[in-house]
Amino acid sequence: MHMKSAPKVALQTLQLIKLVWLRAKRHSVSLRAAHLTLASLLAAVPIITIVFGILRLTPAMVEMQDAFVQFVEQHLAPGSSDTVIPYLLSFSEQAKNLPAAGIATLILTALLLLNSFEGSVQAIWRVKRKRKIRERLLIYWAILTLGPLLLAVVMSLYGTILSYELKGVELPSVLSSIFGFGSYIIYFLLIFTINFLVPNAEVTLKLTAISAFFGGLGISVLNVIFGNFANFFANYQVVYGTFAALPIFLIWLQSTWLIILLSVSLNATLHKLNRKDQNHELE
């Protein structure tokens, strides 16, 4: 019985991969990832400024800011973050001195990035009905606030568990396992949040969780690949100097956006298949 079911599962998996690939190709996912990469470069400083502003709301979160920066340096574009992150943080600090009009422009730039991402998600889902501006702003604000708060909570738990380990306190095996997969859990939660909130359609928790699982796994693998090629990046920097960090960062950023959009394509395809019995035509 198991021998018969295995080929069937393999065939269904291949069919699912084909459907996801066709959806991604039809909606130009690679081109959209390139567009979001460019938009991210413009919105990086505004988003970091907003995130740090939220983390400064309470004294407890202020203490997490250094831990947050350290986490970003370790997981953002391995091989180039040592060069890119200091510049972004420096620009973010200078942004505090901007007048009200300048701050409003920074916020608008961040909102435009989220609007561009939402447009890509709705196109992949083939949703033609647009949200009202008020609903969009609420979702954008939820993403901009939930993301930093989620990271702050995770970093707080991370610090607590680490302090126990340094004191020699033996932790339960479950907590140790969670501690080991901390980075993946963050990727999963962030991708799950955007896959659940952004589509203007009926979304189920189970199918969104499946899509976020593979999306988080993809980003984890991507970071491992970039981390293992650190020596290659170092040789690249010998020729191009600090300028080498920019193309490396762009490759990582576009690959990350591509993985996120592929998880969106998977999520949309799974929901389409789930509604097959409701006379929805499969793509």
Side-chain angles (χ1 to χ4, degrees):
M1 180 175 180
H2 292 289
M3 295 298 293
K4 292 181 180 180
S5 61
K8 184 178 179 180
V9 172
L11 180 60
Q12 291 176 343
T13 302
L14 290 176
Q15 290 176 342
L16 176 61
I17 294 174
K18 182 180 179 180
L19 289 173
V20 174
W21 172 254
L22 289 176
R23 181 181 290 267
K25 184 178 179 180
R26 180 176 302 172
H27 297 289
S28 305
V29 164
S30 59
L31 184 61
R32 293 181 183 276
H35 175 73
L36 289 171
T37 299
L38 178 59
S40 298
L41 291 178
L42 299 176
V45 172
I47 289 178
I48 290 177
T49 304
I50 293 172
V51 168
F52 282 1
I54 294 174
L55 291 178
R56 295 189 185 104
L57 291 177
T58 62
M61 289 186 177
V62 171
E63 296 178 358
M64 299 176 188
Q65 183 170 312
D66 292 338
F68 171 77
V69 173
Q70 184 180 2
F71 175 84
V72 173
E73 288 178 345
Q74 291 175 351
H75 298 85
L76 181 65
S80 65
S81 59
D82 292 342
T83 303
V84 175
I85 296 301
Y87 281 108
L88 293 178
L89 294 178
S90 176
F91 295 152
S92 177
E93 288 295 324
Q94 295 175 15
K96 300 177 187 177
N97 302 323
L98 290 174
I103 295 176
T105 303
L106 289 180
I107 296 176
L108 179 61
T109 305
L111 293 178
L112 288 176
L113 170 62
L114 294 176
N115 182 69
S116 179
F117 175 67
E118 187 202 13
S120 298
V121 172
Q122 308 308 345
I124 293 172
W125 274 76
R126 299 188 66 184
V127 175
K128 297 181 180 180
R129 180 169 53 90
K130 295 184 178 180
R131 286 190 175 98
K132 297 179 180 179
I133 296 179
R134 181 177 60 182
E135 294 177 353
R136 289 186 182 183
L137 291 177
L138 287 175
I139 291 176
Y140 298 165
W141 184 249
I143 293 175
L144 287 175
T145 54
L146 285 178
L149 290 176
L150 178 62
L151 287 175
V153 171
V154 172
M155 293 307 300
S156 177
L157 294 175
Y158 182 92
T160 302
I161 294 176
L162 182 61
S163 64
Y164 279 123
E165 288 193 344
L166 292 176
K167 293 177 181 178
V169 179
E170 186 175 353
L171 296 173
S173 57
V174 176
L175 289 179
S176 299
S177 300
I178 294 176
F179 178 76
F181 289 97
S183 300
Y184 172 77
I185 292 174
I186 293 176
Y187 301 148
F188 170 83
L189 290 176
L190 291 176
I191 295 179
F192 178 85
T193 300
I194 59 179
N195 267 295
F196 187 76
L197 291 180
V198 178
N200 190 20
E202 185 179 350
V203 182
T204 62
L205 292 173
K206 179 181 177 181
L207 298 180
T208 304
I210 294 174
S211 304
F213 170 80
F214 287 104
L217 184 62
I219 293 180
S220 298
V221 172
L222 176 68
N223 285 344
V224 170
I225 292 174
F226 269 72
N228 289 335
F229 279 91
N231 293 331
F232 171 77
F233 295 145
N235 295 331
Y236 195 63
Q237 289 175 347
V238 171
V239 179
Y240 293 96
T242 57
F243 179 75
L246 181 58
I248 295 170
F249 178 73
L250 289 176
I251 294 172
W252 174 87
L253 187 58
Q254 180 161 350
S255 301
T256 301
W257 275 121
L258 184 61
I259 292 172
I260 292 175
L261 291 181
L262 286 175
S263 74
V264 173
S265 300
L266 175 59
N267 197 23
T269 302
L270 289 175
H271 281 82
K272 190 73 172 181
L273 292 172
N274 192 47
R275 295 171 184 141
K276 182 175 61 174
D277 295 336
Q278 302 177 13
N279 296 325
H280 284 258
E281 182 181 358
L282 288 177
E283 295 183 1

